[in-house]
């Protein structure tokens, strides 16, 4: 064992010869104890080893040389894992779980320590000071408050909050002044240019200094050579620069320097805002109704919010309400008044009516009394008939008349037949006349109506249709020929034979119902009416072939003028 | 800042007040309360050392320190301390009554450069519970409430910046109407018609920052048009441009001891300019968002920036590098302010107002009950009154050292303005700290002053509420 540990292994030892010796002592060699190998076995070597091992039985294999298992950094030879070796491999010790156990002690532990890990520090009481992490880095020269005590209120010590003494102030001032003067010195040095800056500056002195005179001999062969001026002098002057020209450079914000290490946040997270608070602080996005240079599509609600229309408070003049209220009141009052007036009028009318009835009743009463023979005073009001009846004469006559009528009450018609007085005769006359006139009027009316009816009945069909008297059977527009329905066998089936006259599925007029055939098949009144005209026309040799009411030759009635109006279509007979 | 006003006459007046006011409190303090134990003696020793040091410092630098802190205040403190004693029993939350019953002195930040006996009286007494690990309830200093005195309306846009002349006779306001107006302060504070002295035009966007140089007759202005201008107030002309910002410039500050100008803007950087040569000395990059506010100090860190990326950065001016990043805020920081009496600063964001140790940026305290208003402006005066002005016109007044909010209110818009135009965009105390000037979104400049009729009796400190707030804060888990 001793030489194996002390001496380095032979450089080109055949694989497997040294391995058992090195690993004999420990069953599982920790990675840091595996012998440093200058070079990992090549692929061929490993294959050879593996083939040998495969040929052996398990017992021999256990005793025989170990297979190559990459453990240390050298085994990986600065490369990745070996895919053909089926063991867990940790190139560069990445994620090596075995390494943790030995992290503190061995060389492998040292390999993994990085700068990110801060060594544990303890304070004077032996407590771990966890704030070491925030006090390092850029915060190392700063005061960092990280402890709980820094959060709590405390009494300041007198000497800590004492005003600085004059000496302190002076010392600080002097120190600061010196430091700042140094910085300022650099600045002012830049302000006071020297060397090339002075030479290049646009001063009048420099202008003069920089003005050059160059003697120049033109080329005699060049075009435009003037032999009179064999020598020329050129004055070179620096270009003038406008001293008032604005500077060409522009101030821009310098990029931020490297971020400083953060300091612990010593305040509680801010109170979470409630929805109302959030809404109260919501500021609508800045949207103009006039400009939208980038042409964004702006939602309508945002536009309206930007308008500030929602912010405006609408106030309606209270007079509107007053006006409508008073209108309503006035209307109701007017209606009430109208109703009241109507009621009053109705009542008055009722009273009037009652009064009339009363009068009538009185009259009737009086008449009854008169008739029964009781003499009464004539009614004070005096109706029309009474006016008509008594012509300013006495009531005795009346009474006598009544008497007579009363006497012959058993046969009332007798009273007419035997007119007693002139008045009665005149009255009967008038009555007769009236009746006659009435009859006359009634007759006239009847005739008028008849005439009218006749005229209507005899109107031409086309006129009647034009006037909308007839609706026809297939009245409704857009109605379809019924034969078009139920067409399973095509056009041939429903329409019958070709020569059959069945263009219409229904007749235009339903002859059985309302419209009389008579009105259709009767010659119109006009043609028949004026016989003289007809006659004149005939005499003049009128060519009108068809005449109303004239029969057709070969038809049922023959040429003879058919008796009475036709009631149906002309029917022809087949020639035999 | 050195030639602020008649300091000698003021100090003599103050001396007289001290002599007359102190006596009753004296008796109470010296005999009854103070138990001279080791803790007390140690604290006294520390105070002496501190005071000696600070007095020397002040004498040398000739800066206006809080010498104006009135003696009235100290007696007020004592009174408050006794009130504390009384209602300590009914407060169940704290065990204020300690086993030992010992009272120890809690040193306030008093900068009395008077003699030793004056020192003795100027202390705040706080009971401390030794056993419960000490929830300290600092005793707030009483401040008179502030009320509106004058409204100046001349600007045609939001008033976004205010600066005071070192002589305290003038102040300048910059506005959204692109103008800078210079006002006569005494006349303006009484609302005189001829208060407006000058209107400077030249910017082409809202003016966001203004600063008077204490050593030169210069006014510096920055605006959203990327320009930083230097105006010569003798000729009222622009004599320098500081060219380099890539976007709007939002804040501007002059270095107290060096001829240096620092500007910050929407390009997320703060730039350090040499006043004379107009050269950019440093470009302080590191913020991720707009730099909204700036502070410059004579000692390191000489530049403090607050940004919309919710961080505050403390910068090393010499190296031009960030020294510390403070990430405690949740919301963007729009205002920072530093008092003249101690080396701290306060920053205001929409989540809360925080106080920091200026030396190294150590977090000191939260100002509670801020109600999540967006803080647009902050200012501290020498009496320790911190005012924060909100985006919605709300104003809060705090006791700077203890963090007690003694007044809160809403700025009133001028008639004819919209309700939305209620916002305090800039705030600034005058040189004496007795007047507060605010620039508002309703285009007005408002001048506030302390209510002269108010006293501790009419406006008492809400001790119970304050104690509860303190305890709630101490028990807050992060």
């Amino acid at each position: 064992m001793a030489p194996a540990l002390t001496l380095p292994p032979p450089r080109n030892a055949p694989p497997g010869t040294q391995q058992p010796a090195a690993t004999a002592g420990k069953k599982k060699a920790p990675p840091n104890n595996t012998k440093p190998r200058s070079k990992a076995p090549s692929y061929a070597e490993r294959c050879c080893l593996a083939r040998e091992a495969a040929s052996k039985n398990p017992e021999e294999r256990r005793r025989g040389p170990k297979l190559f298992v990459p453990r240390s950094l050298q085994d990986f030879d600065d490369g990745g894992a070996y895919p053909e070796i089926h063991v867990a491999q940790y190139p560069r010790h990445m994620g090596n779980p075995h390494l943790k156990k030995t992290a503190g002690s061995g060389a492998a532990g040292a390999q993994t320590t990085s700068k990110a890990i801060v060594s544990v520090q303890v304070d004077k009481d032996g407590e771990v000071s966890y704030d070491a992490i925030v006090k390092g880095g850029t915060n190392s020269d700063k005061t960092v408050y990280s402890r709980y005590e820094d959060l709590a209120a405390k009494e300041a010590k007198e000497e800590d909050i004492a005003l600085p003494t004059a000496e302190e102030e002076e010392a600080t001032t002097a120190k600061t002044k010196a430091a700042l003067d140094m910085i300022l010195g650099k600045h002012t040095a830049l302000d006071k240019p020297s060397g090339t800056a002075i030479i290049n500056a646009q001063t009048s002195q420099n202008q003069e200094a920089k003005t050059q005179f160059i003697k120049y001999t033109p080329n005699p062969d060049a075009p435009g050579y003037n032999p009179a001026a064999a020598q020329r002098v050129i004055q070179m002057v620096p270009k003038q620069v406008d001293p008032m020209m604005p500077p060409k450079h522009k101030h821009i914000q310098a990029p931020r320097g490297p971020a400083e290490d953060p300091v612990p946040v010593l305040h509680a997270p801010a109170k979470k805002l409630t929805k109302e608070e959030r809404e109260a602080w919501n500021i609508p996005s800045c949207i103009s109704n006039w400009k939208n240079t980038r042409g964004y599509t702006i939602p309508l609600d945002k536009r309206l919010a930007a308008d500030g229309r929602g912010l405006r408070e609408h106030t309606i003049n209270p007079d509107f309400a007053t006006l409508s209220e008073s209108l309503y009141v006035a209307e109701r009052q007017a209606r009430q008044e109208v109703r009241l007036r109507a009621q009053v009028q109705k009542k008055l009318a009722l009273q009037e009516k009652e009064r009339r009835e009363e009068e009538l009743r009185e009259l009737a009463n009086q008449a009854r009394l008169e008739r029964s023979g009781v003499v009464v005073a004539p009614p004070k009001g005096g109706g029309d008939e009474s006016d008509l009846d008594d012509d300013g004469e006495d009531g005795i006559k009346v009474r006598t008349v009544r008497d007579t009528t009363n006497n012959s009450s058993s046969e009332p018609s007798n009273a007419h037949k035997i007119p007693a007085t002139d008045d009665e005769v005149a009255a009967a006359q008038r009555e007769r006349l009236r009746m006659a006139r009435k009859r006359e009027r009634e007759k006239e009316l009847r005739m008028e109506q008849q005439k009218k009816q006749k005229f209507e009945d005899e109107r031409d069909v086309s006129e009647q249709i034009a006037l909308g008297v007839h609706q026809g059977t297939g009245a409704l527009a857009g109605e379809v020929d019924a034969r078009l329905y139920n067409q399973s066998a095509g056009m041939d089936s429903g329409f019958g034979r070709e020569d059959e006259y069945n263009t219409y599925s229904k007749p235009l007029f339903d002859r059985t119902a309302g419209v009389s055939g008579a009105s259709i098949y009767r010659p119109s009144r006009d043609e028949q009416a004026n016989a003289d005209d007809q006659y004149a026309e005939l005499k003049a040799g009128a060519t009108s072939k068809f005449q109303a009411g004239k029969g057709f030759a070969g038809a049922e009635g023959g040429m003879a003028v058919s008796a009475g109006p036709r009631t149906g279509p002309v029917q022809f007979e087949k020639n035999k | 800042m050195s030639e602020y006003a008649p300091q000698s006459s003021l100090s003599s007046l103050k001396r007289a007040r001290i002599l007359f006011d102190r006596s009753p409190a004296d008796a109470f303090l010296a005999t009854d309360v103070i138990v001279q134990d080791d803790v007390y003696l140690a604290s006294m020793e520390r105070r002496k050392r501190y005071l000696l040091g600070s007095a020397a410092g002040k004498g040398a630098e000739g800066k206006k320190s809080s010498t104006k802190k009135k003696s009235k205040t100290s007696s007020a403190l004592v009174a408050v301390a006794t009130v504390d004693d009384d209602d300590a029993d009914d407060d169940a939350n704290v065990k204020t009554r300690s086993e030992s019953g010992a009272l120890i002195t809690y040193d306030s930040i008093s900068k009395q450069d008077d003699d030793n006996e004056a020192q003795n009286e100027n202390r705040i007494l706080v009971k401390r519970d030794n056993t419960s690990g000490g929830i300290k309830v600092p005793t707030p200093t009483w401040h008179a409430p502030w009320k509106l005195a004058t409204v100046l309306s001349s600007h045609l846009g939001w008033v976004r910046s205010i600066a005071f002349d070192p002589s305290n006779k003038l102040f300048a306001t910059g506005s959204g109407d692109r103008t800078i107006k210079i006002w006569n302060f005494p006349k303006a504070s009484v609302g005189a018609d001829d208060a407006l002295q000058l209107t400077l035009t030249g910017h082409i966007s809202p003016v966001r920052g203004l600063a008077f140089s204490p050593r030169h007759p210069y006014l510096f202005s920055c605006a959203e048009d990327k320009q930083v201008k230097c105006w010569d107030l003798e000729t009222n002309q622009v004599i320098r441009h500081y060219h380099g910002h890539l976007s709007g410039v939002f804040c501007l500050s002059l270095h107290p001891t060096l001829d240096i100008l620092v500007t910050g803007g929407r390009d997320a950087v703060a730039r350090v300019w040499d006043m004379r040569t107009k050269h950019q000395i440093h470009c302080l990059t590191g913020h991720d968002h707009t730099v909204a506010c700036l502070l410059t100090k004579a000692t390191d860190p000489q530049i403090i920036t607050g940004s919309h990326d919710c961080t505050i950065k403390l910068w090393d001016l010499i190296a031009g590098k960030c020294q510390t990043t403070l990430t405690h805020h949740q919301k963007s920081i729009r205002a920072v302010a530093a008092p003249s009496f101690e080396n701290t600063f306060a920053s205001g964001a929409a989540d809360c107002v925080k106080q920091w140790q200026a030396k190294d940026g150590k977090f000191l305290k939260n100002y509670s009950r801020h109600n999540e208003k967006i803080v647009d402006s902050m200012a501290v005066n020498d009496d320790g009154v911190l005012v924060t002005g909100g985006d919605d016109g709300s104003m809060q007044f705090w006791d700077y050292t203890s963090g007690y909010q003694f007044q809160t209110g809403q700025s009133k818009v001028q008639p004819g303005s919209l309700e939305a135009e209620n916002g305090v965009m800039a705030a600034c105390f005058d040189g004496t700290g007795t007047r507060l000037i605010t620039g508002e979104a309703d285009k007005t400049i408002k001048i506030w002053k302390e209510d002269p009729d108010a006293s501790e009796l009419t406006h008492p400190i809400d001790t119970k509420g304050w104690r509860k707030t303190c305890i709630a804060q101490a028990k807050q888990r992060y």
Side-chain angles (χ1 to χ4, degrees), chain A residues 126-328:
Chain A
E127 297 283 318
V128 177
S129 59
Y130 293 104
D131 56 355
I133 193 158
V134 293
K135 288 190 169 167
T138 58
N139 286 333
S140 52
D141 55 344
K142 294 176 186 165
T143 321
V144 179
Y145 293 104
S146 58
R147 307 193 145 263
Y148 173 77
E149 295 87 75
D150 300 325
L151 281 167
K154 62 192 80 64
E155 289 288 337
K157 282 183 207 142
E158 288 286 319
E159 57 267 25
D160 282 345
I161 59 166
L163 281 179
T165 58
E167 293 91 67
E168 275 171 25
E169 274 187 16
E170 268 166 27
T172 317
T173 305
K175 199 167 62 170
T176 315
K177 196 167 186 330
L180 298 189
D181 277 347
M182 206 140 82
I183 298 166
L184 264 180
K186 281 179 202 155
H187 278 299
T188 42
L190 285 177
D191 280 354
K192 285 181 246 160
S194 60
T196 53
I198 287 181
I199 291 163
N200 291 329
Q202 298 283 336
T203 56
S204 57
Q205 266 189 337
N206 279 353
Q207 291 273 14
E208 273 174 37
K210 276 199 235 172
T211 305
Q212 286 176 313
F213 293 93
I214 301 163
K215 197 179 264 181
Y216 170 64
T217 314
N219 183 7
D221 297 335
Y225 173 72
N226 186 4
Q231 285 270 312
R232 288 170 193 267
V233 176
I234 298 170
Q235 186 185 15
M236 293 278 277
V237 178
K239 194 185 164 196
Q240 285 285 345
V241 178
D242 182 5
M244 295 300 283
M245 214 145 69
K248 293 244 170 60
H249 64 85
K250 199 181 157 194
H251 281 290
I252 49 160
Q253 189 158 21
R256 290 192 65 171
E260 293 189 339
D261 286 345
V263 290
V265 175
L266 295 183
H267 63 75
K271 198 185 70 180
K272 204 157 194 190
L273 289 177
T274 61
K275 204 181 171 205
E276 293 85 56
E277 279 171 324
R278 250 183 292 130
E279 271 163 14
W281 283 99
N282 178 37
I283 298 163
S285 46
C286 179
I287 291 168
S288 169
N289 279 325
W290 291 271
K291 278 184 183 176
N292 184 8
T293 47
R294 300 209 178 177
Y296 289 128
T297 310
I298 298 160
L300 205 59
D301 59 325
K302 301 279 185 303
R303 241 188 223 292
L304 287 177
D307 192 18
R309 216 170 287 176
L311 300 174
R312 224 173 292 155
E313 257 180 38
H314 291 284
T315 50
I316 298 169
N317 196 332
D319 289 350
F320 283 114
T322 322
L323 175 66
S324 62
E325 178 86 353
S326 51
L327 277 177
Y328 175 72

Side-chain angles (χ1 to χ4, degrees), chain A residues 142-143 145 150-151 153-155 160-163 166 173 176 180 184 187 191 251 256 264 266-268, chain B residues 60 106 243 246 257 260 274 279-280 288 302 322-324 327-330 340 343 359-360 362-364 478:
Chain A
K142 294 176 186 165
T143 321
Y145 293 104
D150 300 325
L151 281 167
K154 62 192 80 64
E155 289 288 337
D160 282 345
I161 59 166
L163 281 179
T173 305
T176 315
L180 298 189
L184 264 180
H187 278 299
D191 280 354
H251 281 290
R256 290 192 65 171
L266 295 183
H267 63 75
Chain B
Y106 166 60
H243 179 76
L246 299 169
T257 52
I260 277 175
D274 181 46
H279 277 301
Q280 178 183 307
D288 290 333
Q302 297 184 52
C322 177
Q323 193 176 313
T324 307
T327 54
H328 292 56
H329 274 295
Q330 278 177 335
S340 59
N343 197 12
K359 194 173 76 172
D360 49 2
K362 193 196 264 181
F363 172 64
L364 290 184
Y478 292 92

Side-chain angles (χ1 to χ4, degrees), chain B residues 245-448:
Chain B
H245 268 289
L246 299 169
S247 194
V249 192
F250 282 17
C251 49
L252 174 147
S253 182
L254 299 180
H255 195 279
T257 52
L258 292 164
D259 285 348
I260 277 175
L261 177 70
V262 187
T263 56
R266 210 180 75 93
D267 49 1
V269 295
R271 289 172 201 268
V272 183
W273 309 92
D274 181 46
M275 207 183 269
R276 190 180 65 81
T277 61
K278 304 177 282 179
H279 277 301
Q280 178 183 307
I281 301 172
H282 282 307
C283 177
L284 309 176
T285 58
H287 279 299
D288 290 333
H289 212 302
T290 305
V291 177
C293 46
L294 262 179
L295 271 182
T296 46
K297 294 185 327 95
T299 52
D300 282 324
Q302 297 184 52
I303 300 169
I304 297 165
T305 56
S307 160
H308 283 195
D309 64 2
C310 311
T311 60
I312 300 168
K313 279 180 192 279
L314 277 52
W315 301 89
D316 179 5
L317 179 57
I318 293 171
K321 286 204 297 185
C322 177
Q323 193 176 313
T324 307
T325 306
L326 307 173
T327 54
H328 292 56
H329 274 295
Q330 278 177 335
K331 295 284 169 66
S332 57
I333 296 135
R334 290 164 181 244
V336 285
S340 59
F341 49 82
E342 65 180 27
N343 197 12
T344 56
F345 69 94
S347 64
D351 55 343
C352 63
V353 177
K354 287 172 193 283
Q355 189 187 324
W356 314 82
Q357 189 167 295
K359 194 173 76 172
D360 49 2
K362 193 196 264 181
F363 172 64
L364 290 184
K365 72 165 61 103
N366 272 321
Y367 287 56
S368 56
R369 286 171 66 199
H370 173 60
N371 300 337
E372 305 208 334
K373 299 270 168 59
I374 296 173
V375 174
D376 264 336
S377 53
M378 281 172 86
V380 203
N381 74 356
D382 298 336
D383 287 340
V385 175
L386 170 72
V387 59
T388 58
D391 209 24
D392 55 351
S394 62
M395 290 173 79
Q396 282 103 16
F397 293 85
W398 315 78
D399 176 30
Y400 183 83
T401 40
S402 65
Y404 171 70
Q405 187 187 57
F406 67 90
Q407 192 188 353
T408 178
Q410 189 82 10
S411 176
K412 279 200 190 104
V413 287
Q414 74 167 337
S417 309
L418 301 175
E419 196 190 341
E421 286 178 331
N422 201 357
V424 182
M425 306 316 257
C428 183
F429 281 103
D430 78 318
T432 60
T434 54
R435 293 287 185 283
L436 167 68
I437 323 274
T438 55
E440 315 231 348
D442 64 351
K443 304 164 192 168
T444 59
I445 301 153
K446 290 183 179 147
I447 302 181
W448 309 71

Side-chain angles (χ1 to χ4, degrees), chain A residues 463-484:
Chain A
E463 277 181 20
Q464 284 182 352
I465 287 173
L467 287 170
V469 176
H470 295 309
Q471 290 287 348
T473 46
L476 292 170
E479 202 167 277
V480 187
D481 194 340
R483 285 167 304 176
L484 287 173

Side-chain angles (χ1 to χ4, degrees), chain A residues 349-429:
Chain A
L350 207 67
Q351 278 175 353
E352 181 73 7
K353 206 177 154 195
E354 274 177 1
R355 196 175 56 81
R356 283 263 173 85
E357 269 176 14
E358 189 67 23
E359 264 175 22
L360 278 177
R361 221 175 288 133
E362 216 163 280
L363 267 180
N365 226 357
Q366 205 177 6
R368 227 175 283 135
L369 284 175
E370 267 182 13
R371 213 173 290 154
S372 61
V374 181
V375 181
V376 283
K380 50 189 188 307
D384 291 343
E385 43 193 335
S386 64
D387 274 335
L388 193 97
D389 279 348
D390 46 29
D391 308 318
E393 285 161 341
D394 49 356
I396 303 157
K397 200 189 282 173
V398 177
R399 192 199 55 184
T400 52
V401 171
R402 302 289 185 220
D403 276 352
T404 51
T405 50
N406 259 0
N407 293 340
S408 56
S409 60
S410 55
E411 186 52 63
S413 56
N414 288 349
H416 289 281
K417 278 177 183 169
I418 313 153
T421 60
D422 294 346
D423 280 339
E424 281 191 358
V425 172
Q429 192 77 19

